[in-house]
Amino acid sequence: MRRVENIADMQRLADTWRAGGERIAFVPTMGFLHEGHLDLLRTARKMGTKSVISIFVNPTQFAPTEDFESYPRDLGGDLDLATEVGTDAAFIPPVDEMYPEGFQTYVHVDRVTENLCGRSRPIFFRGVATVVCKLFHAVKPHISIFGQKDFQQLVTIKRMVKDMNMDIEIVGHPIVREKDGLAMSSRNTYLTQEQRPVALRLNRCLKEAQKLVDSGERNAEMILKAAGDLLTTGGGATVDYARLCNPDTIEDVEVISGPTLLALAVWVGKTRLIDNCLLKAIKN
Ligand code: PAF
């Protein structure tokens, strides 16, 4: 696997591949890779003829109070794992390569970023859209794959690509879970043994909500009340949000009539976990 640290070299490699008729499939990450990332990389290998991972902990998507400094990092381990799954190149720019002195241009995606994580992390999506835009210009992919765990991020990137006429196919990849149902996340490493069962409430909550819908419940308030109870009973968890949204617009819905996103963000101790599912309302 090639390691590329600067943007000009990455662009040259991408140009050479493109000139040779290769199809570049790209997985942007912040590293500390887990099975979920590896699944994205395997998918990239299948969907393209050259696969690229970026490993870059992006400072502009962290608020000053958040965990940028302490975000888990293991570049050596990540490069080994990416090599093992057959990735062709790793783009690993230093921070000052991506944000040199004088940097002052940001990408703002509007309405789809307002709800959910946009409420509690007001600068997050500006940072994500900006860095993904920059990574796209460096890697020049034909296709890029994002996990559905960050559902609002996926919708935001799709919106940016469409609105800015970027000729890139964006693919959403299903959430990869641990055996016990916890959605895989680099931040799971922060959880203590005692916090783990608390963290499992998120996935349970998604399943219970689908059961409620299956039994005929369509009222968002009722479903969210049950979700809130399930998440907090027993203590140890603080709900940042539990919301039912239209999966395209990310606007709240009051009544479930079609596929509806149930999105959760919950603090378990100092760890903020997110999870989601698309609730399906089968007519009964
Ligand atoms: O999902 C992530 O890991 C990050 O938000 C991304 C897309 C790599 C941008 O920094």
Side-chain angles (χ1 to χ4, degrees):
M1 183 177 68
R2 293 179 202 223
R3 296 174 194 192
V4 184
E5 291 194 13
N6 75 64
I7 295 168
D9 287 347
M10 187 65 241
Q11 288 170 328
R12 255 191 303 275
L13 179 59
D15 286 342
T16 309
W17 280 342
R18 279 181 167 255
E22 306 285 5
R23 186 169 162 78
I24 303 171
F26 174 46
V27 179
T29 81
M30 297 207 300
F32 210 70
L33 302 185
H34 50 65
E35 192 51 41
H37 294 115
L38 300 184
D39 234 37
L40 299 181
L41 289 170
R42 287 186 200 106
T43 305
R45 275 204 76 190
K46 282 187 209 136
M47 300 193 88
T49 57
K50 293 288 180 193
S51 58
V52 181
I53 184 175
S54 64
I55 301 172
F56 180 67
V57 184
N58 173 37
T60 63
Q61 69 191 70
F62 291 80
T65 51
E66 294 179 346
D67 57 346
F68 173 69
E69 294 297 342
S70 60
Y71 193 83
R73 290 163 170 89
D74 177 12
L75 186 58
D78 288 346
L79 293 172
D80 288 347
L81 287 170
T83 306
E84 267 170 43
V85 296
T87 309
D88 294 290
F91 179 49
I92 45 173
V95 172
D96 59 0
E97 174 73 5
M98 293 295 275
Y99 299 110
E101 192 68 32
F103 183 89
Q104 52 191 282
T105 304
Y106 293 88
V107 179
H108 171 74
V109 182
D110 207 10
R111 293 190 298 280
V112 296
T113 66
E114 281 171 6
N115 201 357
L116 305 181
C117 290
R119 289 175 186 263
S120 36
R121 306 184 72 189
I123 66 153
F124 176 70
F125 288 113
R126 183 182 83 146
V128 167
T130 302
V131 80
V132 171
C133 177
K134 285 174 67 68
L135 291 167
F136 282 173
H137 283 116
V139 176
K140 305 191 182 190
H142 296 83
I143 183 164
S144 186
I145 302 149
F146 290 80
Q148 284 170 354
K149 185 171 79 71
D150 300 281
F151 195 94
Q152 191 180 15
Q153 169 172 280
L154 171 63
V155 171
T156 301
I157 299 303
K158 280 188 178 162
R159 193 71 248 172
M160 172 183 79
V161 163
K162 188 165 189 200
D163 290 350
M164 292 292 114
N165 315 319
M166 295 177 176
D167 189 12
I168 303 170
E169 183 187 346
I170 304 299
V171 174
H173 187 280
I175 297 176
V176 181
R177 296 181 181 280
E178 310 271 1
K179 276 205 189 80
D180 59 11
L182 183 64
M184 287 197 183
S185 162
S186 304
R187 289 190 171 99
N188 290 351
T189 178
Y190 298 150
L191 295 170
T192 64
Q193 227 177 343
E194 296 74 48
Q195 287 172 336
R196 185 104 187 169
V198 180
L200 293 181
R201 287 184 209 150
L202 278 83
N203 186 35
R204 250 189 35 233
C205 174
L206 300 175
K207 287 187 178 153
E208 291 302 320
Q210 182 62 60
K211 279 189 201 158
L212 274 178
V213 174
D214 290 346
S215 69
E217 186 59 76
R218 296 289 182 269
N219 182 305
E221 205 180 319
M222 300 300 288
I223 296 166
L224 293 177
K225 163 88 178 64
D229 288 348
L230 200 152
L231 290 169
T232 52
T233 301
T238 311
V239 178
D240 176 1
Y241 64 71
R243 299 185 98 94
L244 286 161
C245 303
N246 176 309
D248 300 318
T249 63
I250 314 291
E251 285 166 346
D252 288 345
V253 300
E254 286 173 11
V255 176
I256 295 188
S257 53
T260 303
L261 177 72
L262 172 55
L264 308 175
V266 178
W267 286 96
V268 178
K270 290 199 169 92
T271 309
R272 185 173 176 278
L273 301 173
I274 58 171
D275 205 342
N276 70 75
C277 70
L278 276 184
L279 296 178
K280 287 173 207 82
I282 300 149
K283 289 201 173 64
N284 48 6

